[in-house]
Amino acid sequence: MHKKSGDHYDFLIAGAGFAGSLTALILQKSGFKVGLLEKGQHPRFTIGESSTPVADMILRELSSKYNLPWLYNFSRYGTWQQSHPEIVCGIKRGFSFFKHYPGEYFTTDGDHKNELLVAASSSDIESDTNWLRADFDAFLVSKVKESGIDYFDLTEIMTATRNGQWEL
Ligand SMILES: Cc1cc2nc3c(=O)[nH]c(=O)nc-3n(C[C@H](O)[C@H](O)[C@H](O)COP(=O)(O)OP(=O)(O)OC[C@H]3O[C@@H](n4cnc5c(N)ncnc54)[C@H](O)[C@@H]3O)c2cc1C
C-alpha cells in the first residue's frame, strides 16, 4: 500500500462525491490549501440524484459567490444540455410521496394529508434535472484536478491523531 507523508493541508476532505468535490473547490476559492481523498475511483456507481428548485438556486448561488461560472449551467436542463451534453442528465417533472402503512393498501382522503406532490417546471429549458451521478461526480473530480487541488483516489484514512494539529 502506498503511504503518503509530509503534506500539510488546511482542509483534507474524505470522499469525492459531489459534496466533497464541491466543498474542495469552494474552500480552495476561499484561499485554503485543500486535499481530497477518495477510497474508490471515478467513474464509480452511485445512486441518485435529482435536483429541486431550491437545490438549483443553491448551485447558482455557489457559482456566483465562489467564482465557479461553469457550475451555473448545471442548474437547469437547458443550460446543462447546451454546455455539457456528454454528461448524462434527464428532465425532471417533479416527484411525489405517498405514506404507506405495512399490510394496508394506500388510501387517501379529500385533504390529501398523506400525499405530497413536489411540482417542477413544465419548461424543458428551465427544468430540474435527474443526474447520472457517475458522470457528474467524475466531471467534478476533473474540475478538482484542473484547479490544482491535490486529489488522491484509492486512498483511505487509516489513523487520525491530534497533536496540536490533526495527523491523518
Ligand atoms: C436511492 C437514493 C435516491 C436519492 N435521491 C435523491 C434525490 O432525488 N435528490 C437528492 O437531492 N438526493 C437524493 N439522494 C441523496 C443523495 O444521493 C445523497 O445525499 C448524496 O449522494 C450525498 O452526496 P455525497 O457527496 O455527500 O456522498 P456520496 O455521493 O455518497 O459520496 C461519498 C464518497 O465518499 C467516499 N468515501 C466514503 N468513505 C470514505 C473514506 N473513509 N475515505 C475516503 N473516501 C470515502 C465514497 O467512496 C464516495 O465516493 C438519494 C439517495 C439515495 C440512496
Side-chain angles (χ1 to χ4, degrees):
M1 170 174 298
H2 177 67
K3 203 171 171 188
K4 210 162 170 11
S5 63
D7 293 338
H8 291 82
Y9 297 98
D10 298 315
F11 291 92
L12 190 58
I13 298 167
F18 73 91
S21 290
L22 275 178
T23 305
L25 287 159
I26 286 167
L27 287 170
Q28 195 213 32
K29 286 282 185 185
S30 306
F32 296 104
K33 184 161 191 238
V34 185
L36 179 60
L37 307 180
E38 168 55 47
K39 72 176 179 182
Q41 199 168 32
H42 286 278
R44 52 111 169 75
F45 173 79
T46 186
I47 295 178
E49 183 91 37
S50 65
S51 69
T52 59
V54 171
D56 287 329
M57 276 170 48
I58 291 171
L59 284 182
R60 288 192 283 276
E61 194 181 321
L62 293 176
S63 165
S64 63
K65 190 168 177 186
Y66 296 103
N67 190 23
L68 300 166
W70 50 268
L71 186 59
Y72 189 94
N73 292 331
F74 292 103
S75 68
R76 294 185 179 96
Y77 181 77
T79 48
W80 182 321
Q81 286 305 302
Q82 280 163 11
S83 62
H84 286 289
E86 80 286 1
I87 303 174
V88 175
C89 85
I91 294 175
K92 182 177 166 191
R93 291 288 184 228
F95 59 97
S96 317
F97 291 105
F98 298 95
K99 186 165 185 180
H100 288 74
Y101 296 92
E104 293 179 25
Y105 285 108
F106 175 78
T107 54
T108 188
D109 58 26
D111 293 333
H112 302 279
K113 285 197 291 285
N114 51 358
E115 300 168 63
L116 175 66
L117 170 66
V118 181
S121 173
S122 58
S123 151
D124 289 2
I125 290 172
E126 298 294 324
S127 172
D128 298 332
T129 47
N130 290 298
W131 308 0
L132 183 64
R133 290 281 308 281
D135 283 8
F136 187 67
D137 289 6
F139 172 79
L140 286 186
V141 163
S142 76
K143 286 292 184 188
V144 163
K145 292 181 188 166
E146 204 177 278
S147 71
I149 293 167
D150 285 348
Y151 177 67
F152 308 98
D153 62 3
L154 299 175
T155 302
E156 270 188 272
I157 296 169
M158 307 306 287
T159 60
T161 52
R162 189 162 195 181
N163 300 316
Q165 56 186 6
W166 281 102
E167 280 178 23
L168 304 174

